[in-house]
Every structure is written in C-alpha cells, then in structure tokens.
Amino acid sequence: QVQLVESGGGLVQAGGSLRLSCAASGASGSIFRTAAMDWYRQTPGKRRELVADINSAGTTTYADSVKGRFTISRDNAKRTAYLQMDSLKPEDTAVYYCNLISYGLGVNYWGQGTQVTVSS
C-alpha cells in the first residue's frame, strides 16, 4: 500500500518561503518513476485546485496564480516530490495535498495534507 506523507507546512509572513515535501512509502521505484506528482491546495468551501504538476519526464506545469513563485521538483531515488514556495501571499493560505497518479498503471494516491498559513 502506497502512503504519501507531506511535511514542511507552517505559518509564514507574506513574502516568505516554505518548502513542502511529499515522501512516498510503499511505492516501488518503477511506480514512482513513471507516475506524475501533483500538488493541490484547498481552502474551506472551495474545490481542490491543482497548483503544480511534474510528469515522469520532469516536465512541469503550474497554475497561473503561482507561476514564477513556486517550483515543483522530484527526486526519484528518494521517492520524494517537493514544492518550493517563494514570495508567499496571504491568498496562498490553504491545506496543500500531494498526489501520485499514473493512468497507465491505474494508481491514484493522496497524502493527508499539510497546512500552509501566510500572514499579512
């Protein structure tokens, strides 16, 4: 059974930085290498939104709201994905979730979420 564990959330002032990590335990190396890793975020009463995606080739995509401020990366050897968040804004406040997905392998796993709070 694959488990995704996020860490690195917390309270930061506007303009600050945080680095989120998502460690995949129980996932074989081949599953992790071939899966896409996504970061989503959600605030109360709103739908979960995709923040950033990195596919197996390392190609990245970002939501317009975070382009130029957030950077997604992955370390296949450590089976870990990261989200570097710079120039944080109060509107970035949310619970951030990690997602491992592979349509080819038919897998879709979610982490438990980590709270990020940006104060003004």
Side-chain angles (χ1 to χ4, degrees), residues 59-94:
T59 302
T60 58
T61 56
Y62 298 92
D64 287 342
S65 59
V66 306
K67 280 181 181 176
R69 300 188 298 120
F70 289 12
T71 303
I72 188 171
S73 61
R74 63 191 295 163
D75 185 331
N76 289 338
K78 294 182 178 179
R79 299 176 191 175
T80 301
Y82 305 95
L83 186 67
Q84 177 68 40
M85 305 185 295
D86 299 317
S87 301
L88 282 162
K89 304 175 181 179
E91 51 263 45
D92 294 319
T93 295

